[in-house]
């Protein structure tokens, strides 16, 4: 059985920005004509791992669009309604799941993401 590898500093080779959605509804719940842009939560270094093989098959069973996993140092406050912008290629992803690492020791956070729709 293959042991999981801990995240190393040299694995963190991509700069990513985590953003929460801007306000698009007023206090009464009605849509705002000009919603505010997303707000930055943090900018961190990450490791990007495309899903393949059995991992991709398992992700397809749950959510067909999950295509990439980003691994970052452990961080609180990231939620599924946020988005991730990979600053290397300026690609925006929707965060589908926020997972603790396999060691369960608060050293890593794994973000399962899908490509953001333009619509």
């Amino acid at each position: 059985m293959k042991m999981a590898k801990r995240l190393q500093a040299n694995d963190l080779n991509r700069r990513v920005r985590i953003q929460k959605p801007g306000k698009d509804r007023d206090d009464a719940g009605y849509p705002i004509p000009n919603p505010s842009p997303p707000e930055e939560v943090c900018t961190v270094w990450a490791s990007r791992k495309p899903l393949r093989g059995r991992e991709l098959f398992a992700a397809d069973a749950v959510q067909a669009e999950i295509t990439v996993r980003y691994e970052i140092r452990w961080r609180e406050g990231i939620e599924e309604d946020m988005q991730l912008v990979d600053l290397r290629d300026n690609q925006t992803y929707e965060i589908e799941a926020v997972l603790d690492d396999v060691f369960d020791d608060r050293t890593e956070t794994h973000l399962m993401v899908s490509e953001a729709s333009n619509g």
Side-chain angles (χ1 to χ4, degrees), residues 44-61:
V44 296
W45 288 99
S47 172
R48 182 180 188 271
K49 308 238 170 137
L51 299 182
R52 55 177 78 81
R54 192 181 315 184
E55 211 173 26
L56 182 60
F57 180 75
D60 280 344

Side-chain angles (χ1 to χ4, degrees), residues 25-115:
R25 298 199 175 266
D26 64 15
D27 294 335
Y30 293 103
I32 297 173
N34 297 317
S36 60
E39 298 174 38
E40 181 177 344
V41 173
C42 61
T43 300
V44 296
W45 288 99
S47 172
R48 182 180 188 271
K49 308 238 170 137
L51 299 182
R52 55 177 78 81
R54 192 181 315 184
E55 211 173 26
L56 182 60
F57 180 75
D60 280 344
V62 177
Q63 180 81 21
E65 287 101 27
I66 294 178
T67 57
V68 180
R69 176 179 61 225
Y70 282 86
E71 298 173 359
I72 63 173
R73 298 274 184 219
W74 184 81
R75 189 171 211 48
E76 279 186 301
I78 300 175
E79 299 173 5
E80 283 84 8
D81 67 338
M82 295 181 180
Q83 63 186 17
L84 178 145
V85 179
D86 189 326
L87 299 177
R88 179 182 287 182
D89 55 11
N90 208 28
Q91 177 69 41
T92 301
Y93 297 94
E94 300 296 331
I95 297 175
E96 301 293 338
V98 180
L99 308 171
D100 288 331
D101 64 285
V102 295
F103 302 106
D104 197 25
D105 61 357
R106 291 183 157 187
T107 58
E108 303 173 18
T109 298
H110 295 197
L111 306 173
M112 305 299 281
V113 301
S114 63
E115 290 189 36

Side-chain angles (χ1 to χ4, degrees), residues 3-22:
M3 291 291 295
K5 180 183 161 223
R6 288 193 179 269
L7 189 62
Q8 301 293 317
N10 62 340
D11 294 332
L12 303 172
N13 61 1
R14 290 190 173 257
R15 199 74 169 146
V16 298
R17 179 173 294 135
I18 309 295
Q19 299 174 328
K20 65 181 178 180

